[in-house]
Amino acid sequence: MIVVFLFIGTVLLACSMIFMRRGINKFIWVLVGLVISVGSVVLMTLNYNTYLGMKEVQQTQTYPLTSSVKGKHVLLYRQLGTKNERIYYYATNPLQQKLAKTNPSTGNVTLKQKAKLNQVKITRTTRVYRNEEWRLLFGNGVANHQFVSQDYEFHLLPGWKLQKVAEQKQ
């Protein structure tokens, strides 16, 4: 809809500049077209850069955590580079064949060793429009439910250990 306002403001500005005679009416219509055009461009820029009209919504889900290796109390991880960036491999069901993994580029991972229960808490943050008017105005620009981050919080019982995954040769 903001693109429609931009188009209307540009056409109004151009038509009033070209086809109207000098006078106060021409000045008013040029000013109205200019305000609509510039205002639309400013609102579009604010929407793309600062997510104008959007708010961040967090959804938290908690899953029971089972061992990554059957028969042991282990949480597997793979080191990335030299920093504290790691990929953690976890299972939320003992019958799960393929392990789920964290993504260090999209969020943070927190480990809490002295918990009362093994669980993983996943917090997913998305941006949504504040109301239907903002979605109608900017719906063609930034998508609704835009992904921001996904944070993981592992709660481990005291007997659990972290174990590094053996590097595979390629």
Side-chain angles (χ1 to χ4, degrees), residues 2-162:
I2 194 73
V3 176
V4 173
F5 285 140
L6 178 62
F7 179 74
I8 289 171
T10 306
V11 169
L12 186 64
L13 177 67
C15 288
S16 62
M17 289 284 287
I18 295 171
F19 297 117
M20 291 187 77
R21 294 187 182 164
R22 284 190 180 176
I24 191 73
N25 284 341
K26 180 177 182 173
F27 177 75
I28 290 173
W29 284 108
V30 166
L31 189 63
V32 167
L34 188 64
V35 166
I36 292 174
S37 298
V38 171
S40 298
V41 170
V42 167
L43 286 176
M44 285 172 59
T45 305
L46 286 173
N47 180 254
Y48 283 120
N49 292 331
T50 64
Y51 303 101
L52 179 69
M54 299 187 93
K55 62 181 177 181
E56 289 188 357
V57 175
Q58 292 184 342
Q59 295 175 331
T60 302
Q61 295 178 328
T62 304
Y63 299 102
L65 186 64
T66 60
S67 180
S68 302
V69 179
K70 294 195 189 313
K72 297 182 180 179
H73 297 296
V74 173
L75 181 64
L76 297 176
Y77 71 92
R78 174 170 284 145
Q79 189 72 37
L80 295 178
T82 58
K83 295 184 179 180
N84 284 341
E85 295 176 339
R86 294 178 175 177
I87 297 175
Y88 290 91
Y89 297 93
Y90 64 95
T92 58
N93 184 348
L95 302 175
Q96 189 173 340
Q97 295 292 328
K98 189 174 182 181
L99 295 175
K101 62 182 180 177
T102 63
N103 188 349
S105 64
T106 61
N108 298 321
V109 177
T110 307
L111 292 173
K112 295 191 177 180
Q113 292 278 338
K114 296 180 181 172
K116 296 178 182 173
L117 185 64
N118 283 335
Q119 63 184 6
V120 59
K121 187 190 302 186
I122 302 172
T123 304
R124 182 179 173 89
T125 306
T126 56
R127 285 191 189 98
V128 295
Y129 286 105
R130 293 183 189 277
N131 53 34
E132 192 63 24
E133 289 80 20
W134 286 107
R135 190 194 64 76
L136 182 64
L137 187 63
F138 295 116
N140 61 344
V142 178
N144 203 11
H145 297 285
Q146 183 184 26
F147 176 76
V148 176
S149 69
Q150 187 162 327
D151 298 329
Y152 299 89
E153 188 174 307
F154 291 99
H155 297 271
L156 303 174
L157 289 172
W160 279 58
K161 297 192 188 288
L162 296 175

